[in-house]
Amino acid sequence: QVAKELANPLAPVTTLSGNVRFEMGNGPDDDTNYQVRLQPSFFRPSAEKSALLVRTILPLRSTNWPTSADGIGDASIIPYYVPDTTSTTFVGYGGALLLPTASRDELGSGKWAAGPAVIVARTGSPITWGGLVQHVWSFAGPDDRADVSVTTAQPFFTYLLSDGWASNLTSEATYNWNATGGNEWTVPLTVSAAKVVQFGAAFVNLG
């Protein structure tokens, strides 16, 4: 049951997750960039069936291309209103806010940006699937930094196995409306496996 709830990004639970990303094949020398993402998620019931869910993302980045830089990237806060947390089909409506928290110019946009977001998740056994779509436009920040206009789509598919195991297929496709030269799309694909284990009163998803 815990693995099923953790597979649903709109589940009525508060979580702290983190993942490590290796972004390979960058630039003419096929450099690798690294990213650690801290993703706390806060759940607060607001009525009999509805709830407020706030997802946050804080990236820690180490890049080798296009420049060499290490530090904190831009943070994101994404609140959702979920009208019905008792259904097998969850829908969340909200917005995304991008904060210029990068410790170096190379690691962030330097802009404040915001826009709409929606997320849908269909839960079941053994399959949970859904997706998130959001778009942010910059509205403040230094004039010498490029404007932000980015659409993000994050489909996910989770197959629940026995003994707390699950396999996951996800993507985080982005379309940069201001990019040129065929660099508009970025479409990574992630395949992973994870297992839920219990430590005292806490559950940990290891993958």
Side-chain angles (χ1 to χ4, degrees):
Q1 180 62 31
V2 175
K4 182 178 179 180
E5 289 187 343
L6 291 177
N8 177 11
L10 290 175
V13 292
T14 294
T15 62
L16 173 60
S17 64
N19 59 70
V20 180
R21 299 186 174 193
F22 302 88
E23 302 164 358
M24 298 173 285
N26 295 282
D29 296 325
D30 290 333
D31 290 321
T32 300
N33 296 335
Y34 306 91
Q35 185 176 164
V36 176
R37 278 193 170 189
L38 304 178
Q39 299 180 233
S41 176
F42 306 96
F43 171 83
R44 181 179 178 85
S46 57
E48 183 178 346
K49 296 190 298 182
S50 63
L52 176 67
L53 180 72
V54 180
R55 303 178 70 210
T56 58
I57 302 173
L58 179 63
L60 309 177
R61 303 181 60 192
S62 177
T63 64
N64 294 301
W65 189 90
T67 59
S68 179
D70 302 303
I72 300 172
D74 288 343
S76 297
I77 301 176
I78 314 167
Y80 294 99
Y81 171 69
V82 186
D84 187 356
T85 60
T86 64
S87 173
T88 56
T89 301
F90 292 74
V91 181
Y93 309 94
L97 177 63
L98 181 68
L99 310 176
T101 56
S103 57
R104 296 184 58 173
D105 288 348
E106 302 93 326
L107 301 177
S109 67
K111 295 282 192 176
W112 293 81
V118 63
I119 187 169
V120 178
R122 174 73 174 178
T123 63
S125 185
I127 295 172
T128 293
W129 60 273
L132 173 156
V133 178
Q134 69 181 48
H135 183 89
V136 294
W137 298 270
S138 56
F139 62 88
D143 292 337
D144 60 347
R145 300 298 298 273
D147 290 335
V148 174
S149 180
V150 176
T151 301
T152 303
Q154 296 178 248
F156 61 87
F157 180 92
T158 298
Y159 190 91
L160 300 174
L161 304 169
S162 60
D163 298 324
W165 282 96
S167 59
N168 307 285
L169 176 64
T170 61
S171 180
E172 188 173 341
T174 60
Y175 186 86
N176 185 346
W177 294 84
N178 295 330
T180 58
N183 297 314
E184 296 88 351
W185 279 106
T186 302
V187 187
L189 187 65
T190 302
V191 178
S192 62
K195 177 177 174 59
V196 174
V197 296
Q198 186 171 4
F199 294 97
F203 292 91
V204 179
N205 195 25
L206 302 175

